[in-house]
Amino acid sequence: MSSAAFNSDTCAVPDERLLAAWLDMTELPPVPRLEVEEPRSQGLRQAVRVVTDALLGRPAQEGRQVPSAGAIYPYDVLVLVDEDGRPAGSSPHPPGHALFWMDLLRRTCVRLSGPAERLARLLRPARLPDGGEAVAHVILLARPWLSMRKYGSRGYLYTQLDTGHAATNLLGTALQDGPAVLRLHGPRAEIRAAVEPCLPHREVHSVITIGRPHTRGETSDWATVRMADDDDPAGTGQLEEVCWSGLSAAVYDSSEPFAAPPLLHTAAPMATGLRPSAPGAIPRTRWREASRRRRSCKRFSGDVPEPGALLGMLEALDTPLPADLTATETHRGVRAMLLLHDGPTARVCSDALRGSRIGVTVPDRFRDLDLLVRSCMGQANARVAAGYVLFHIPRGELFSGGPRDLRDAVFRASCGAHLLYLGAGRNSVAITTIGGYDPDLWREYAGLTVEDETLYLLALGVDQAGSIKHDRAQVAYAHGE
């Protein structure tokens, strides 16, 4: 057709509103220009090794090393290093700091130049407890939108629990190589503000400071890329902005300076009252092995694990980890309750745990299996699970101290749950998270009052078919992420 056919008589003027709506539906932001470069920092190479082994698995086909509700993994990982070889943030005027966003899907390190020096100043006081040399700071950012778009408001809690699993495994994996410490507290709001221009709508969860490794580990084939600008590399959209605007800054943006001297303790996440040096604690030298064994059970067989296996799994709660949490007290804090069906295993576990802070109960209402399934939001696994572990805390301890105490408690529960996952793998106990449950019924099952808050529920048993739950599969991303 000739161009003469397109004239004012045959081609109508487009409706501007319709055109704008069409462009809003179809236009995408341009893909940022990337340039591949060689990694120049020992700290970056060590951080990549830790992140790979702690979160992703090696080789890539191995699957994710940490559980996540819905296999969503709602967090981002940043790494701050000094490319000139000095410890990150150790000098008053340190040149050559570099910040990288870890693209966990593509296994690439994306350089973000803008916030690097500002973060170096903020993290300068974050030193190792023994005064050793730090080679990298791994900054874990929670991204609530990823969970909330599927689970609504409860997705924010899942975000905190999933990120707590990741933080615990990052710390334990780093400790296998050398010194490391985890900090939940510090200038969180300032760190978030520093990264917001390139990674908006994130919450600072924790900072894991990694020391120089004792030995040279396996190298990684991750590529390092440099962005032409610092636009959000992970693809933030309008809906995420709406989700973020509905969150309370009182929860995610509390801030405080790093304690001087640092308030650091090497202790278990909760006071269990178990015998000292419990043999079930996860050895630092075997952390990667325990992490590779971790599984989330998809189907229970209905059999009951041996009492020794359950007790060995619970002993993993006594694994000491260096962090800036306050020291655990025997009469306060997060507690664990073991709930079992009536039988010999329940009696053996009750006798063995008498005098500890891990309670054991045999709920009468467990006989009603239909009610038990309903109390777990219809999860069929509940019908054949051999038992449960419930983490809980008195409501006054959770809310009276402000967001710091709330953050501490949720992390202690997620850290304890991750240690149980590792302990379960080492003792051949099948385990899975019950994300949705009726808190009133579970308070009744556990013999708690309305003044107790339930934090985390896990089901235990014997694996039926060796199938792997979806939190070992490759994560599914939405368009643009």
Side-chain angles (χ1 to χ4, degrees):
M1 183 181 293
S2 67
S3 59
F6 294 95
N7 54 46
S8 58
D9 294 330
T10 59
C11 186
V13 176
D15 184 317
E16 293 297 331
R17 292 180 301 170
L18 184 58
L19 176 60
W22 173 257
L23 293 177
D24 187 53
M25 286 189 291
T26 59
E27 285 195 335
L28 289 172
V31 176
R33 181 167 54 86
L34 303 177
E35 301 175 9
V36 178
E37 61 182 43
E38 291 295 326
R40 293 180 290 174
S41 164
Q42 178 200 359
L44 178 60
R45 291 192 293 270
Q46 176 60 16
V48 166
R49 168 176 160 81
V50 170
V51 170
T52 299
D53 293 347
L55 302 185
L56 302 179
R58 191 191 299 262
Q61 294 77 14
E62 196 172 71
R64 296 289 182 123
Q65 298 294 87
V66 288
S68 170
I72 291 171
Y73 309 100
Y75 41 78
D76 287 296
V77 179
L78 298 179
V79 175
L80 178 70
V81 298
D82 184 344
E83 291 190 319
D84 290 340
R86 289 186 292 276
S90 66
S91 172
H93 305 286
H97 287 112
L99 180 68
F100 296 90
W101 172 68
M102 314 290 282
D103 187 335
L104 303 181
L105 178 63
R106 298 171 181 85
R107 299 195 178 216
T108 57
C109 304
V110 179
R111 180 187 292 271
L112 305 175
S113 59
E117 295 303 329
R118 186 176 174 186
L119 284 178
R121 291 191 296 270
L122 289 170
L123 295 178
R124 191 176 302 141
R127 302 179 184 276
L128 293 167
D130 61 359
E133 180 182 1
V135 298
H137 296 295
V138 178
I139 304 168
L140 200 53
L141 303 176
R143 191 179 177 190
W145 152 252
L146 294 179
S147 287
M148 295 181 72
R149 68 186 184 191
K150 180 175 182 180
Y151 296 110
S153 297
R154 192 170 180 84
Y156 184 80
L157 174 61
Y158 295 162
T159 297
Q160 303 308 309
L161 296 173
D162 286 354
T163 313
H165 279 279
T168 302
N169 217 40
L170 283 167
L171 176 61
T173 304
L175 287 169
Q176 184 168 345
D177 294 340
V181 65
L182 180 143
R183 289 177 172 87
L184 283 178
H185 308 292
R188 297 163 44 85
E190 292 83 353
I191 295 173
R192 186 181 69 82
V195 303
E196 187 174 23
C198 51
L199 288 170
H201 316 314
R202 268 72 166 179
E203 173 186 0
V204 178
H205 179 272
S206 53
V207 177
I208 298 99
T209 301
I210 298 176
R212 190 173 296 281
H214 300 315
T215 58
R216 185 181 298 274
E218 182 180 347
T219 58
S220 172
D221 58 356
W222 281 45
T224 303
V225 298
R226 181 175 59 197
M227 295 189 67
D229 51 46
D230 278 345
D231 289 338
D232 179 8
T236 296
Q238 180 184 9
L239 291 177
E240 183 164 8
E241 183 177 357
V242 172
C243 167
W244 182 260
S245 67
L247 297 177
S248 171
V251 175
Y252 69 76
D253 228 7
S254 62
S255 195
E256 56 196 299
F258 286 121
L263 180 64
L264 299 172
H265 300 277
T266 298
M270 62 188 71
T272 65
L274 297 173
R275 57 188 181 277
S277 302
I282 309 300
R284 293 184 181 180
T285 56
R286 309 296 292 274
W287 192 282
R288 282 181 172 84
E289 176 187 336
S291 185
R292 286 192 295 269
R293 286 184 177 181
R294 183 206 68 81
R295 294 289 186 275
S296 288
C297 181
K298 194 171 184 178
R299 287 184 294 272
F300 293 124
S301 69
D303 297 324
V304 180
E306 292 294 325
L310 289 178
L311 295 170
M313 176 198 68
L314 291 171
E315 287 175 351
L317 293 173
D318 262 0
T319 303
L321 296 169
D324 64 349
L325 298 167
T326 56
T328 54
E329 301 178 48
T330 56
H331 61 287
R332 290 176 57 85
V334 177
R335 299 156 198 186
M337 176 75 72
L338 178 62
L339 300 96
L340 298 170
H341 293 278
D342 193 17
T345 296
R347 289 187 285 275
V348 171
C349 290
S350 181
D351 290 342
L353 295 172
R354 186 172 290 115
S356 75
R357 293 190 74 237
I358 300 178
V360 181
T361 185
V362 179
D364 290 337
R365 300 194 74 184
F366 266 16
R367 297 190 183 96
D368 187 342
L369 297 181
D370 291 333
L371 179 65
L372 186 56
V373 171
R374 290 200 302 274
S375 74
C376 296
M377 302 294 112
Q379 186 163 322
N381 242 350
R383 186 179 298 275
V384 288
Y388 302 83
V389 174
L390 179 69
F391 292 109
H392 61 96
I393 188 173
R395 181 171 293 177
E397 296 181 29
L398 189 61
F399 300 118
S400 60
R404 180 188 177 107
D405 286 352
L406 175 62
R407 187 174 300 112
D408 274 9
V410 174
F411 175 73
R412 290 180 194 272
S414 60
C415 180
H418 195 74
L419 293 174
L420 283 184
Y421 265 100
L422 300 185
R426 299 182 77 214
N427 289 275
S428 300
V429 176
I431 187 170
T432 194
T433 296
I434 304 292
Y437 56 87
D438 184 329
D440 292 329
L441 269 175
W442 279 93
R443 274 191 286 262
E444 180 184 339
Y445 288 152
L448 305 175
T449 72
V450 293
E451 296 304 317
D452 285 281
E453 285 294 323
T454 57
L455 297 174
Y456 212 167
L457 179 66
L458 301 105
L460 313 170
V462 175
D463 188 20
Q464 181 185 43
S467 59
I468 298 173
K469 201 175 178 182
H470 289 304
D471 68 7
R472 273 283 184 180
Q474 183 60 266
V475 62
Y477 283 82
H479 181 71
E481 293 174 358

